[in-house]
Amino acid sequence: MQKVLVDLIELASQGKQAHWNVVGTNFRDTHRQLDEIIDAARGFSDSIAERMRALHALPDGRSDTVAETTTLPELPHGELFTTDVIDLVTERLEAVTSTCREVHDAVDEEDPTTADMLHEILEVLEQFAWMVSAENRKPAA
């Protein structure tokens, strides 16, 4: 669950960085959508950390731990055009869902409560990934 925790913390951090530096067409919608993703990631990271404590594990959300262990790629520095932010955020949402699936499969039989929490996170993040990615998609031919 530590892997999920650090990816969620990093998602919230990178989301805020993109939120502050996004520019371009559909700025306002992208800016607001990032806030929704950030809020969800923060809430989920707290739930995961508290679940870890309930299981007598020690969550580690320190910045150096997050930076050293996250699966998310580094976000580019500076202003980011809205269409680039859409692709970058989609990539990061998909990375976190991949981590959630990996951890889910490892705990599914032994800890159904944690598996249920991961299902909830997956449902929300996959919906965000779909909605965010739709900004740059064109209808299939």
Side-chain angles (χ1 to χ4, degrees), residues 134 136-141:
N136 285 349
R137 290 191 56 232
K138 297 192 178 4

Side-chain angles (χ1 to χ4, degrees), residues 1-11 41 44-53 55-72 95-96 99-100 102-104 106-107 111 114 117-118 121:
M1 290 178 53
Q2 176 67 28
K3 292 172 77 170
V4 174
L5 176 64
V6 297
D7 276 3
L8 287 166
I9 292 169
E10 184 66 9
L11 177 63
F44 289 143
S45 65
D46 189 52
S47 296
I48 289 294
E50 289 178 358
R51 178 69 183 153
M52 290 174 71
R53 290 302 298 145
L55 297 173
H56 308 291
L58 296 173
D60 188 351
R62 296 173 300 154
S63 58
D64 59 332
T65 300
V66 173
E68 292 169 6
T69 60
T70 185
T71 66
L72 277 62
V96 178
T99 300
C100 285
E102 177 186 322
V103 171
H104 172 273
V107 302
D111 186 0
T114 298
M117 290 178 69
L118 293 169
I121 294 168

Side-chain angles (χ1 to χ4, degrees), residues 6 12 15 23 38 43 49 61 64 76 82 84 95 97 99-100 104 113 122 129 131:
V6 297
V23 296
I38 294 159
D64 59 332
T82 50
D84 295 332
T97 60
T99 300
C100 285
H104 172 273
T113 303
L122 281 164
M131 290 183 170

Side-chain angles (χ1 to χ4, degrees), residues 2-51:
Q2 176 67 28
K3 292 172 77 170
V4 174
L5 176 64
V6 297
D7 276 3
L8 287 166
I9 292 169
E10 184 66 9
L11 177 63
S13 179
Q14 287 193 22
K16 196 46 104 169
Q17 183 68 22
H19 170 87
W20 293 326
N21 292 293
V22 66
V23 296
T25 307
N26 294 327
F27 161 81
R28 185 173 170 85
D29 290 338
T30 304
H31 189 77
R32 285 184 163 186
Q33 192 169 40
L34 287 167
D35 267 340
E36 293 174 8
I37 293 166
I38 294 159
D39 289 346
R42 285 178 176 163
F44 289 143
S45 65
D46 189 52
S47 296
I48 289 294
E50 289 178 358
R51 178 69 183 153

Side-chain angles (χ1 to χ4, degrees), residues 11 14 71-76 84-98 129 132-133:
L11 177 63
Q14 287 193 22
T71 66
L72 277 62
E74 187 175 332
L75 191 72
D84 295 332
V85 167
I86 295 305
D87 292 339
L88 291 165
V89 170
T90 300
E91 177 185 19
R92 281 140 184 83
L93 286 164
E94 290 173 349
V96 178
T97 60
S98 179
V132 170
S133 69

